[in-house]
Amino acid sequence: MKTFVFPAAVVFAFLSTGALRAQTAAGPPAEPTLPPWARTQVHVGLGVAAPQLRAGQALLANKNRRAAEGSYGRQLGQTVEIGFYKPLRAVPGLLLGANFKLSLTGSEPDAGYPEGYYFNPGLLGAAAKYYPLRNGAARNLFVRAEGGVSFVLEKTRFVNDQGAQNFFHQFGVGAGALGGLGYSLPVGKRRGLLLEPALTYELHGTRVEVNGVGDDPWRFGVLSGMLTLSF
């Protein structure tokens, strides 16, 4: 009996040691990656912006003057944003946070540098992001919204009647809102990063003090195509 027990013990010890080595080499099992709507997101985005100027005495006067000259190109520019979201556990798929978005747009006539028009709107406020489906191929589709403080800086560079170059600046503050649609694409093996193409539209209402006009309410929108990195 003793002769049988000893070899069996040796074999058992050998197999146990091999299994332990295999587990150690493999390491602990990887933790499952949380879906985008279940984790905190910090994002930085870049994109292209196109403003639409809708109302405002001085705002539309400048727009009509450029249209009459006929040599100004389409007003386009860059937009950048930074923000964060945290999941709201009580509502699956919903994240709340804050966002800051700034667009730098402009156009110049065929003559080039002597004249130019620049329109730079921004929005800072509370933000929400919602994944309505959370299943199937479209589970990472999201809608987003933002509301808060709107501001705009307008700059006109022109040549006056005496042939000298002049600069005219306008600044206004008000309220604005944003709505958008996008999709979260996991990046990397562990999928800790999200690449998010999105389309957004902003509505702004600001009040601007204009020489010769006084309190001038401006209304304008901004259409943007964004590519955001969330982590």
Side-chain angles (χ1 to χ4, degrees), residues 130-184:
Y130 181 59
Y131 293 83
L133 302 178
R134 303 187 300 284
N135 284 299
R139 62 185 179 276
N140 287 349
L141 182 73
F142 65 82
V143 293
R144 52 175 291 197
E146 180 183 353
V149 178
S150 166
F151 62 91
V152 63
L153 174 62
E154 181 199 55
K155 174 183 175 181
T156 305
R157 185 177 64 221
F158 63 97
V159 177
N160 62 21
D161 295 338
Q162 289 74 40
Q165 193 178 62
N166 281 16
F167 299 90
F168 189 61
H169 297 81
Q170 306 281 5
F171 180 76
V173 178
L178 174 149
L181 178 69
Y183 193 88
S184 298

Side-chain angles (χ1 to χ4, degrees), residues 39-46 80-86 95-102 123 125-129 131 142 144-146 178 184 192-198 200 226-231:
R39 65 188 195 223
T40 299
Q41 298 180 15
V42 178
H43 68 265
V44 178
L46 296 173
V80 60
E81 69 174 359
I82 183 171
F84 74 93
Y85 297 98
K86 291 184 70 68
L95 299 91
L96 300 179
N99 192 66
F100 172 70
K101 188 172 184 292
L102 174 66
L123 180 62
K129 190 175 186 179
Y131 293 83
F142 65 82
R144 52 175 291 197
E146 180 183 353
L178 174 149
S184 298
L193 297 178
L194 300 172
L195 192 63
E196 299 180 330
T200 67
M226 303 292 301
L227 189 60
T228 301
L229 183 64
S230 295
F231 51 91

Side-chain angles (χ1 to χ4, degrees), residues 59-139:
L59 186 65
L60 295 185
N62 278 337
K63 177 182 177 181
N64 294 334
R65 179 183 62 82
R66 296 192 305 277
E69 290 185 9
S71 62
Y72 276 81
R74 182 173 176 81
Q75 190 163 341
L76 293 171
Q78 301 79 39
T79 185
V80 60
E81 69 174 359
I82 183 171
F84 74 93
Y85 297 98
K86 291 184 70 68
L88 185 64
R89 305 299 181 188
V91 183
L94 179 63
L95 299 91
L96 300 179
N99 192 66
F100 172 70
K101 188 172 184 292
L102 174 66
S103 300
L104 304 173
T105 73
S107 62
E108 294 182 349
D110 296 339
Y113 180 77
E115 293 193 359
Y117 179 77
Y118 306 95
F119 189 79
N120 306 322
L123 180 62
L124 172 64
K129 190 175 186 179
Y130 181 59
Y131 293 83
L133 302 178
R134 303 187 300 284
N135 284 299
R139 62 185 179 276

